[in-house]
Amino acid sequence: MRYWILRSEPDVYGWDDLVRDGTTEWDGIRNYTARNFLKEMAVGDRAFFYHSNKEKAAVGIMEITRTWRPDGEKDEWASVAVKPVKKLPRPVTLAEIKAEPRLAKLEMIRQSRLSVTPVREEEWKVIIEMSELPPG
């Protein structure tokens, strides 16, 4: 199993929307590197649902339920299907992520413009741990 961060603006499509819908197509990615990450995903992989822009926090865990398929008329772009697994006990903010030395190599920090990035297993565990602690 691999781990990922998938970012979305909460006022466009947020965690509550995914929970309401039960599943969604993660589409609309128009960056080649992010597209390639989508193509690497396998059924059963897990991803943090990250609210970008205003909240800037990981808020929930999703599961990849279908591997990539073309997004659009050409095979240039890709999408995957996801479903919610659970809401994090509390959001883990970008400021907290950046302040945690064990997350210094997190791709989301190194490539901040990408809406899809991989997460190493040890980084996944750190973010889960952080979500279970009081803020601060």
Side-chain angles (χ1 to χ4, degrees):
M1 177 186 327
R2 294 187 64 192
Y3 302 97
W4 308 92
I5 293 176
L6 300 176
R7 296 164 46 164
S8 179
E9 297 175 23
D11 54 344
V12 174
Y13 193 86
W15 173 257
D16 291 338
D17 298 308
L18 177 60
V19 170
R20 178 197 66 224
D21 296 345
T23 186
T24 196
E25 192 70 22
W26 205 271
D27 57 6
I29 305 301
R30 297 298 183 259
N31 173 283
Y32 289 107
T33 302
R35 179 221 42 205
N36 292 342
F37 288 142
L38 288 174
K39 287 184 170 187
E40 291 178 26
M41 292 179 184
V43 171
D45 282 0
R46 295 292 170 101
F48 287 118
F49 193 121
Y50 181 91
H51 282 168
S52 59
N53 287 351
K54 295 179 184 179
E55 191 174 350
K56 295 183 183 179
V59 297
I61 297 173
M62 303 180 289
E63 181 178 325
I64 308 306
T65 59
R66 195 205 67 252
T67 56
W68 81 277
R69 72 175 182 199
D71 178 16
E73 294 180 18
K74 299 179 182 178
D75 288 348
E76 184 175 13
W77 305 113
S79 68
V80 297
V82 299
K83 70 176 184 180
V85 173
K86 70 176 188 175
K87 187 174 185 175
L88 292 176
R90 72 165 183 85
V92 179
T93 67
L94 179 60
E96 291 174 297
I97 290 170
K98 286 182 173 182
E100 173 53 63
R102 296 175 292 172
L103 298 175
K105 293 183 181 179
L106 187 68
E107 291 300 319
M108 183 183 83
I109 295 171
R110 295 179 48 213
Q111 297 186 44
S112 63
R113 305 274 309 159
L114 292 180
S115 59
V116 178
T117 53
V119 178
R120 294 166 194 86
E121 185 174 2
E122 57 274 13
E123 295 166 336
W124 179 269
K125 291 176 181 177
V126 169
I127 295 171
I128 294 291
E129 173 189 309
M130 293 170 71
S131 77
E132 295 169 345
L133 298 172

